[in-house]
Amino acid sequence: MKKFSTKWKGSIKARKQRKYRVHLPLHLRKKLVNVHLSKELRSKYKKRNVPVRAGDKVKILRGLFRKREGKVERVDRKGEKLYITGIEAVKKEGTKVMLPIHPSNVMLIELDMTDKKRKEGLEK
């Protein structure tokens, strides 16, 4: 059975929607880690959301760490999670481990504009 099809347009069935997301290739998962922009960035770039990258500054909107800000350390496209500096849990043995946060629960405050292609894409 074919796992992923580029011809798939959509379905009402949640089972098929989940299957589509699970078998999505990594180069198309970029859209799943899109993050909302703050009001200032939204008015500046005329976009609602952009794919998040390591180095971007985000504000957490939901969960235990809401209202906290930090830089994105790592983006896990396969698991659709972000790892942010300062968002850690202490394990029983005393070591700290970074907690994963879903991209829908954060908002971009500051963009990392060191990449020329990203700059050009946003300013189109």
Side-chain angles (χ1 to χ4, degrees):
M1 184 171 94
K2 197 173 186 182
K3 290 191 175 186
F4 180 79
S5 173
T6 53
K7 307 279 188 279
W8 192 79
K9 296 296 178 199
S11 175
I12 298 169
K13 294 185 177 180
R15 162 176 57 137
K16 289 187 177 184
Q17 293 171 8
R18 282 194 300 269
K19 180 186 174 188
Y20 178 79
R21 287 177 75 98
V22 167
H23 295 296
L24 200 63
L26 283 178
H27 72 284
L28 297 176
R29 282 182 185 256
K30 185 178 186 180
K31 290 182 180 178
L32 298 182
V33 291
N34 276 4
V35 174
H36 282 290
L37 294 172
S38 65
K39 287 182 180 179
E40 300 84 35
L41 292 175
R42 197 181 295 183
S43 61
K44 183 178 179 183
Y45 295 114
K46 308 284 190 277
K47 289 189 178 208
R48 187 177 185 86
N49 57 24
V50 293
V52 69
R53 288 187 179 186
D56 290 345
K57 192 173 181 185
V58 294
K59 181 180 182 181
I60 300 171
L61 303 175
R62 294 278 182 272
L64 186 64
F65 297 98
R66 68 177 159 269
K67 297 181 183 175
R68 302 249 321 256
E69 297 177 4
K71 263 194 174 159
V72 177
E73 284 288 315
R74 184 166 61 103
V75 178
D76 178 19
R77 284 190 187 174
K78 192 170 189 319
E80 299 175 33
K81 300 290 181 187
L82 305 176
Y83 293 90
I84 302 166
T85 52
I87 308 305
E88 298 169 331
V90 180
K91 292 171 84 174
K92 207 170 192 179
E93 65 210 28
T95 58
K96 290 184 179 180
V97 62
M98 294 184 91
L99 289 177
I101 296 189
H102 196 268
S104 65
N105 297 330
V106 299
M107 177 176 61
L108 269 169
I109 296 172
E110 194 178 299
L111 294 166
D112 181 28
M113 299 301 264
T114 55
D115 186 22
K116 287 181 186 177
K117 283 190 179 183
R118 187 181 200 191
K119 199 172 191 177
E120 289 170 7
L122 283 170
E123 292 171 353
K124 269 186 188 178

